[in-house]
């Protein structure tokens, strides 16, 4: 036996010091390998829509209703099943509603507890007792375990369970038990959650989503471009700070910054009112918020313009500092002719400007900030860097996240893999070196982490600037368009200038040869693997399908964001990967939790099987299963070492 092998087995022997303990662990691990694989839940492009996100988390994209159907089949009516599902999603709210109309609450408690116990039994059946025990609420762990565990030694099982349930009702703990069981079902119905990017921007509640994710039992996050720009703001990258502010103001979401993260907007508001006091700022209307009064609307539009001008200046400085970003065509201030009120774009065409009032622009040095703009930014940078809650949320993105994830044979990422028009991997220059494919993702992720953790100030600065590059560059795998036409949308009326052309990835998704090459680039088997990503909304209303290339590619951004729903025709796609295969869910627009409880309305409109496994997949077929098999092999070696006397048992 090699010296390194012996040293490792000696370390393993510290955990399993006897033949008996090593043998027990082998039996335990072997039994886990033969359980059905846990359910994976995929969500993308949530964009701050907390209520819709929360509902989909509660219903597991239809997984809860599927369990109810599995348990009760035709023995319960559809209305009873709907009522039970709603109770599992919103137990406290549903109980409150039932108490207003139900005359015999004791009987209702008893029926409901038995139904929940049956659903809970089925939901827990694919896990080891140890794993279920860890998921149980501490206060009721013992009793719930008794209720959901078959007891062979009990002769009169019915009387045994009746006694427990009757006691629960008698001591006035029925409501607490119903809530505990409902939350346990929610917890067990999904084993692992994948968030494929864009938690932030547009919607009003990304901070609530992040709070919820911080408590989630098992998840990973693939960063989206909107997440990256918030990460940049959190480390003080000024162009990212300006972008985050502009997006929040534009969608009427200043509450996220002020109430959610405690970022003081007064310096920007004071500056905007002073500099743009005589400017109506009509080109800077607020989207999707009708709750503003006239004064709030006026102030928001002035702040919107003020931060937009600051953003365009900062981007110009950044692009000129980093020639290797090849984004000179996005420096546009020096192309404005203030006397004529026109702009000449990089293609040589001249356009009239919608708004040509730029009191803070020095036309000899158009990208320089005024002292007032600098002061506003310095205060904002301090606020973003020192916001404890924001830094906690960013740490979750770093701890649980990355630019891509390979999980159980699937490749997960937010945007796209940069490709040439012929389908080959596109080479991208990053700080003087060229990268492509997986290598590009890896180097970009390395720089992101340096932005947060590097000791060297230059490496830290490079990491910060890469976060803006990831947000806006045509070469970024999280953006994937030829340009971001934010400036044109504000200042040029001609819609032709607003067009953003998608990269080659998006029109090559039906090319099986190209898709196979992408899977192989990340070390996956193209016969079994899938690419799962979000980023670009699927226009279901126009007949577009989220399933590409015969099921090898699944695009699950269908429009959680309300701003997209008129275009997409639905309110988002989610994906479930259970032991039977991949199932895609399309969601109807979500109104409110109150309506979901009162009208017992769910928001899964339909579920489509993308891929069914020929035989039910077990834990042994997963990535975790491979690790368990490796541990079993190591423990078998340890047993052999004990039996040969190479390692001595420590009884």
């Amino acid at each position: 036996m090699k010296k390194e092998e012996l040293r490792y087995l000696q370390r393993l022997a510290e955990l399993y010091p006897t033949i008996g303990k090593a043998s027990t662990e082998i039996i335990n691990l072997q039994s886990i390998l033969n359980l059905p694989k846990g359910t994976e839940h995929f969500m993308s492009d949530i964009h701050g829509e907390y209520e819709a996100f929360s509902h989909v988390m509660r219903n597991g994209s239809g997984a809860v209703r599927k369990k109810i159907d599995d348990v009760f089949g035709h023995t319960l009516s559809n209305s009873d099943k709907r009522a039970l599902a709603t109770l599992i999603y919103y137990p406290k709210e549903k109980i409150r509603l039932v108490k207003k109309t139900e005359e015999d609450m004791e009987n209702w408690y008893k029926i409901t507890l038995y139904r929940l116990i049956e659903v809970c039994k089925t939901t827990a059946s694919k896990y080891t007792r140890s794993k279920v025990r860890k998921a149980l609420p501490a206060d009721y762990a013992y009793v719930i375990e008794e209720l959901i565990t078959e007891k062979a030694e009990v002769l009169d099982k019915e009387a045994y369970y009746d006694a427990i349930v009757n006691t629960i009702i008698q001591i006035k703990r029925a409501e607490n038990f119903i809530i505990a069981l409902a939350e346990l079902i929610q917890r067990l119905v999904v084993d692992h959650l994948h968030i494929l990017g864009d938690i932030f921007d547009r919607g009003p509640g990304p901070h609530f989503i992040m709070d919820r994710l911080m408590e989630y039992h098992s998840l990973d996050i693939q960063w989206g471009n909107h997440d990256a720009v918030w990460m940049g703001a959190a480390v003080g990258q000024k162009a990212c700070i300006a972008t985050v502010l502009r997006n929040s103001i534009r969608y009427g979401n200043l509450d996220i910054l002020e109430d959610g993260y405690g970022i003081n907007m007064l310096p920007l508001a004071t500056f905007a009112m002073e500099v743009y006091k005589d400017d109506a700022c009509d080109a800077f209307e607020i989207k999707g918020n009708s709750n503003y009064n006239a004064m709030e609307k006026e102030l928001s539009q002035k702040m919107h313009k003020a931060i937009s001008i600051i953003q365009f200046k900062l981007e110009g400085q950044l692009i000129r500092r980093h020639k290797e970003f090849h984004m000179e065509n996005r420096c546009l201030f020096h192309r404005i002719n203030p006397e004529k009120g026109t702009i000449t774009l990089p293609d040589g065409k001249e356009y009239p400007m919608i708004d040509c009032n730029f009191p803070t622009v020095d036309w000899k040095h158009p990208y320089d900030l005024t002292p007032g703009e600098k002061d506003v930014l310095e205060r904002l940078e301090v606020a973003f860097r020192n916001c404890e809650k924001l830094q906690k949320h960013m740490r979750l993105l770093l701890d649980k996240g990355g630019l891509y994830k390979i999980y159980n044979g699937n490749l997960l990422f937010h945007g796209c893999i940069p490709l040439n028009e012929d389908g080959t991997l596109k080479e991208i220059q990053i700080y003087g070196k060229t990268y492509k494919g997986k290598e590009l993702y890896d180097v970009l992720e390395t720089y992101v982490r340096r932005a947060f953790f590097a000791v060297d100030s230059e490496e830290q600065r490079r990491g910060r600037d890469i976060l803006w590059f990831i947000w806006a560059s045509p070469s970024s795998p999280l953006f994937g368009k030829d340009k971001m036409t934010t400036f044109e949308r504000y200042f040029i009326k001609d819609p032709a200038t607003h067009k953003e052309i998608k990269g080659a990835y998006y029109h090559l998704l039906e090319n099986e040869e190209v898709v196979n090459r992408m899977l192989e680039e990340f070390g996956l088997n193209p016969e079994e693997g899938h690419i799962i990503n979000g980023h670009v909304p699927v226009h279901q209303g126009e007949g577009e399908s989220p399933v590409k290339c015969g099921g090898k590619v699944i695009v699950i951004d269908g429009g959680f964001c309300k701003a997209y729903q008129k275009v997409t025709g639905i309110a988002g796609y989610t994906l479930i990967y259970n032991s039977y295969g991949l199932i895609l869910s399309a969601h109807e627009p979500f109104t409110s939790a109150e309506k979901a409880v009162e009208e017992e309305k769910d928001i899964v409109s339909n579920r489509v099987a993308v891929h069914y496994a020929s035989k039910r997949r077990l834990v042994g077929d997963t990535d975790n299963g491979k690790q368990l098999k490796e541990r079993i092999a190591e423990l078998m070696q340890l047993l052999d070492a004990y039996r040969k006397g190479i390692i001595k048992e420590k009884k």
Side-chain angles (χ1 to χ4, degrees), residues 8-9 11-16 21-22 25-30 32-33 623-639:
Y8 177 74
L9 291 177
R11 296 286 175 272
L12 197 60
E14 290 173 14
L15 295 172
Y16 307 99
K21 288 196 173 178
E25 183 64 1
I26 289 169
I27 295 163
N28 177 41
L29 295 179
Q30 193 64 51
I32 292 171
L33 290 176
D623 293 345
N624 185 42
K626 288 174 191 169
Q627 292 172 6
L628 295 180
K629 286 173 185 174
E630 286 171 10
R631 175 49 66 101
I632 289 169
E634 290 160 359
L635 287 165
M636 295 291 273
Q637 280 184 281
L638 179 62
L639 275 183

Side-chain angles (χ1 to χ4, degrees), residues 143-178:
V143 181
I144 291 175
E145 190 172 357
E146 287 294 295
L147 287 168
I148 66 174
T149 305
E150 287 292 337
K151 295 206 160 300
E153 69 276 16
V154 176
L155 297 175
D156 192 346
K157 292 186 179 68
E158 194 174 330
Y160 177 76
Y161 293 124
D162 268 349
I164 295 174
V165 169
N166 288 332
T167 305
I168 289 168
I169 296 167
Q170 191 181 339
I171 63 171
K172 309 295 183 189
R173 302 307 285 171
E175 287 184 25
N176 301 70
F177 262 85
I178 287 168

Side-chain angles (χ1 to χ4, degrees), residues 425-546:
L425 295 169
K426 189 176 183 180
E427 292 193 339
I428 307 296
Q429 192 178 26
I430 305 293
Y431 295 134
K433 293 183 180 178
T434 56
Y435 305 90
K436 61 183 179 179
K438 182 178 180 295
E439 198 179 33
L440 172 66
Y441 275 86
D442 289 337
V443 75
L444 287 173
E445 185 170 325
T446 300
Y447 274 111
V448 169
R449 296 189 186 279
R450 287 178 194 175
F452 287 86
F453 304 121
V455 176
D456 181 78
S457 59
E458 178 57 25
E459 284 298 290
Q460 209 175 60
R461 187 184 65 79
R462 285 182 166 204
R464 289 198 300 266
D465 290 352
I466 275 295
L467 280 159
W468 180 83
F469 172 91
I470 288 170
W471 156 252
S473 171
S475 299
S476 163
L478 299 193
F479 180 51
K481 298 178 186 177
D482 67 329
K483 58 182 175 289
M484 193 178 285
T485 59
T486 310
F487 185 99
E488 290 89 334
R489 289 169 191 270
Y490 284 123
F491 293 112
I492 304 173
K493 193 173 183 180
D494 188 344
T497 65
H498 306 169
K499 197 171 183 184
E500 297 172 351
I501 300 168
K502 294 178 195 173
Y505 172 86
Y506 294 100
H507 59 257
L508 290 169
L509 286 181
E510 296 290 358
N511 186 318
E512 191 172 358
E513 189 182 329
V514 171
V515 170
N516 287 350
R517 276 206 304 266
M518 288 191 284
L519 287 164
E520 286 168 351
E521 169 67 15
F522 285 82
L524 292 170
N525 180 354
E527 296 305 312
E528 296 175 1
H530 303 85
I531 291 172
I532 303 169
N533 71 281
H535 186 51
V536 174
V538 176
H539 295 194
Q540 193 197 46
E542 297 171 13
E544 186 182 358
S545 170

Side-chain angles (χ1 to χ4, degrees), residues 47-300:
H47 283 301
E49 298 292 348
Y50 175 71
E51 279 214 328
F53 163 79
S54 177
H55 185 83
V56 173
M57 291 279 280
R58 290 166 188 267
N59 77 359
S61 285
V64 169
R65 182 57 196 262
K66 174 74 167 59
K67 290 293 178 194
I68 292 170
D69 286 337
D70 289 346
V71 173
F72 296 107
H74 298 296
T75 62
L76 272 188
S77 67
N78 282 332
S79 62
D80 280 346
K81 287 179 186 175
R82 269 200 313 275
L84 184 58
T86 305
L87 178 73
I88 293 169
Y89 308 154
Y90 301 100
K92 293 172 191 171
E93 296 84 349
K94 185 64 178 173
I95 290 169
R96 220 166 21 239
L97 207 64
V98 168
K99 284 167 90 172
K100 290 177 182 177
T101 56
E102 181 59 52
E103 293 177 7
D104 187 353
M105 280 305 294
E106 202 165 297
N107 187 52
W108 185 86
Y109 287 144
K110 191 167 188 177
I111 292 167
T112 301
L113 280 166
Y114 272 115
R115 286 176 179 174
L116 289 173
I117 289 162
E118 289 307 310
V119 177
C120 208
K121 279 181 186 175
T122 302
T123 308
S125 64
K126 61 160 64 175
Y127 303 114
T128 61
R129 194 174 294 185
S130 167
K131 189 165 184 174
V132 173
R133 197 173 289 136
K134 287 172 188 171
L136 295 173
D139 289 349
Y140 307 113
Y142 173 76
V143 181
I144 291 175
E145 190 172 357
E146 287 294 295
L147 287 168
I148 66 174
T149 305
E150 287 292 337
K151 295 206 160 300
E153 69 276 16
V154 176
L155 297 175
D156 192 346
K157 292 186 179 68
E158 194 174 330
Y160 177 76
Y161 293 124
D162 268 349
I164 295 174
V165 169
N166 288 332
T167 305
I168 289 168
I169 296 167
Q170 191 181 339
I171 63 171
K172 309 295 183 189
R173 302 307 285 171
E175 287 184 25
N176 301 70
F177 262 85
I178 287 168
I179 291 164
L181 284 168
E183 289 175 351
L184 178 62
I185 291 163
Q186 283 183 38
R187 160 69 176 78
L188 292 176
V189 84
V190 171
D191 189 43
H192 187 83
L193 176 66
H194 305 283
I195 302 288
L196 275 70
D198 280 1
I199 296 163
F200 287 88
D201 288 332
R202 299 199 175 97
H207 49 305
F208 298 129
I209 294 167
M210 291 300 293
D211 284 343
R212 181 81 178 267
L213 293 177
M214 286 185 80
E215 297 171 357
Y216 202 76
H217 58 274
S218 180
L219 84 151
D220 55 68
I221 302 167
Q222 289 68 62
W223 305 326
N225 53 325
H226 286 270
D227 307 320
V229 77
W230 274 79
M231 292 166 84
V235 289
Q237 210 293 330
K238 289 185 173 70
C240 290
I241 290 172
T243 303
V244 162
L245 261 67
R246 183 185 61 76
N247 277 334
S248 297
I249 296 167
R250 187 183 190 199
Y251 287 92
N253 287 328
L254 275 177
D255 288 354
I256 296 169
L257 295 164
E258 293 178 314
D259 301 335
Y261 290 116
I263 307 286
N264 185 4
M265 291 289 103
L266 190 58
L268 177 62
T270 306
F271 172 81
M273 283 302 288
E274 183 185 327
V275 174
Y276 298 99
K277 60 185 174 187
D278 299 321
D279 188 339
C281 303
D282 290 331
F284 293 85
E285 286 190 353
I286 308 306
K287 289 193 171 191
N289 194 313
S290 57
N291 300 324
Y292 283 1
N293 61 39
M295 192 177 290
E296 288 171 330
K297 186 181 175 188
E298 183 188 352
L299 175 58
S300 293

